[in-house]
Amino acid sequence: MLIGKKFCKAFCLFFEAVFILCSNSFAKESASAKKTSAKNASASESSASVQKARVTKEKSRMFWKISGVDKKGNPSVVYIQGTIHVGSEKLFPLDKEVLDAFNSADTLAGEISSEDMSKLQLYTMRLIQESFVKAGGKKISENLSEKEVEALQTLLGSPVALKMVDGAEPWVLTLTLLGKTLQETTELSAEYSLDTYFLKLADEATRKVVGLDDLKAQFDIFTFGTYEQQLKILQASIKDSSEEDSIQKTKELMLSLYNAYLSDDLEKVAEISQMSNEKDIADYGDFGEEYQKLVYDKRNEDWAKDIKEFLENGGSTFIYAGAAHWVGKNTVFDYLRKQGTIE
């Protein structure tokens, strides 16, 4: 799951629509007339139609617009900017229509709220500390092959670095390798993350960003599984980060994905993301599909509910979130359609 895991959930978002309830008033008549009136009112509400919102792909890269109505029947809009969590200078400058939508939005939303971002460091440290207790005295190095331990020591820079986290749960090391792999196998950097860019713009304008996820939902992805399952994920990460063939394949896949993103090639982004997801499912074995559902399906369904609420509340909302959530299978858009929000 290159996009969901390697890119820490790298891609885009979509929106939702809103239901309109129509009410009719009828004149008071006889008892039988009242019955008829009630039936007509009910039929009218059914046929009056749940007015669905419409999604359009805009000209700008990985950018969508959902046009609907709020609870009062007034126009309501949600803009979605699919992001990538690493990048280069090639991502910039962004198109004027994207920046205008961001600057004029009544509500800003990202994967994590600005409030949670301020808590991120302390939250991460607390989870790492707790992981030593949850590991129950187990040592990661004692559950790896000699070759894997040597590879880890090399990747971390020294045997001492491994000893410092050897008693933690395996996810701690997997998270450490993730960032290292991204920066050392490509020229892509988190410095150019669009998520960071939008968060900075909001901060400069002293604007609040609400979160589609809370910190727990984000870290549930990294801390997923039993000790043994986390160990299996770590072993796959060690292989991808240390074996020359795997490093080259990862590099090619990531650069291919990045170029597809830059070209606004939705089908290619979806195809590469699916390839990566299938690889992870194969690597993780019997829990691979469960992991993928946690990373994408569950979150996409939850985000669709959030978008429905944004539309119902009215005004304009600008969402920036990983592009992989908006293209391919079981996207946020798919869940919006299932819940009857969009056409």
Side-chain angles (χ1 to χ4, degrees), residues 55-300:
V55 180
T56 54
K57 173 65 178 70
E58 303 299 287
K59 290 182 180 180
S60 297
R61 181 176 56 224
M62 296 290 164
F63 192 57
W64 292 264
K65 178 181 179 181
I66 298 178
S67 303
V69 292
D70 64 18
K71 292 176 181 178
K72 298 179 180 178
N74 298 317
S76 181
V77 62
V78 175
Y79 295 100
I80 298 169
Q81 174 63 70
T83 64
I84 188 165
H85 300 320
V86 293
S88 67
E89 292 179 349
K90 293 180 180 179
L91 284 175
F92 304 96
L94 298 183
D95 289 347
K96 183 177 183 297
E97 72 167 341
V98 174
L99 294 176
D100 285 347
F102 178 91
N103 290 325
S104 64
D106 300 303
T107 302
L108 301 176
E111 291 191 33
I112 303 179
S113 71
S114 49
E115 182 181 356
D116 276 348
M117 281 300 295
S118 67
K119 302 174 183 175
L120 183 59
Q121 186 174 0
L122 287 176
Y123 190 88
T124 305
M125 290 173 62
R126 180 173 65 79
L127 287 183
I128 291 175
Q129 289 173 348
E130 290 175 356
S131 77
F132 282 88
V133 177
K134 291 180 179 179
K138 296 177 183 177
K139 299 291 184 183
I140 296 173
S141 59
E142 294 175 359
N143 292 278
L144 299 175
S145 68
E146 186 177 334
K147 181 181 178 182
E148 288 170 332
V149 171
E150 290 177 357
L152 255 183
Q153 291 174 339
T154 301
L155 290 166
L156 296 174
S158 72
V160 175
L162 175 56
K163 285 182 179 180
M164 289 176 64
V165 291
D166 202 17
E169 292 178 299
W171 70 263
V172 176
L173 272 172
T174 301
L175 189 59
T176 302
L177 293 184
L178 198 152
K180 193 174 182 65
T181 301
L182 286 173
Q183 295 195 11
E184 294 188 3
T185 58
T186 70
E187 295 80 33
L188 304 179
S189 169
E191 178 186 354
Y192 295 101
S193 161
L194 284 182
D195 304 81
T196 301
Y197 174 77
F198 285 121
L199 190 62
K200 182 180 178 182
L201 286 184
D203 184 60
E204 289 174 347
T206 63
R207 298 194 60 189
K208 174 184 175 182
V209 176
V210 300
L212 298 172
D213 290 334
D214 56 20
L215 284 177
K216 183 181 182 304
Q218 286 273 324
F219 273 88
D220 279 350
I221 296 166
F222 296 116
T223 62
F224 168 86
T226 64
Y227 188 95
E228 289 69 26
Q229 289 172 334
Q230 290 180 19
L231 196 64
K232 197 163 188 177
I233 294 173
L234 173 60
Q235 288 171 315
S237 295
I238 293 171
K239 179 179 179 181
D240 288 344
S241 304
S242 61
E243 295 184 8
E244 196 56 46
D245 287 348
S246 295
I247 291 174
Q248 187 59 32
K249 287 179 182 177
T250 298
K251 180 178 180 179
E252 291 173 358
L253 195 61
M254 290 174 67
L255 290 177
S256 179
L257 175 63
Y258 184 58
N259 289 329
Y261 179 88
L262 289 175
S263 302
D264 199 28
D265 189 337
L266 306 187
E267 290 185 5
K268 191 67 175 177
V269 167
E271 177 189 333
I272 296 171
S273 178
Q274 183 62 28
M275 286 171 54
S276 180
N277 292 345
E278 290 172 356
K279 176 185 178 300
D280 280 354
I281 289 174
D283 286 344
Y284 303 163
D286 58 358
F287 64 90
E289 290 189 8
E290 180 186 356
Y291 180 69
Q292 292 299 319
K293 287 179 181 178
L294 174 67
V295 173
Y296 289 119
D297 295 16
K298 183 181 183 303
R299 295 170 72 215
N300 288 355

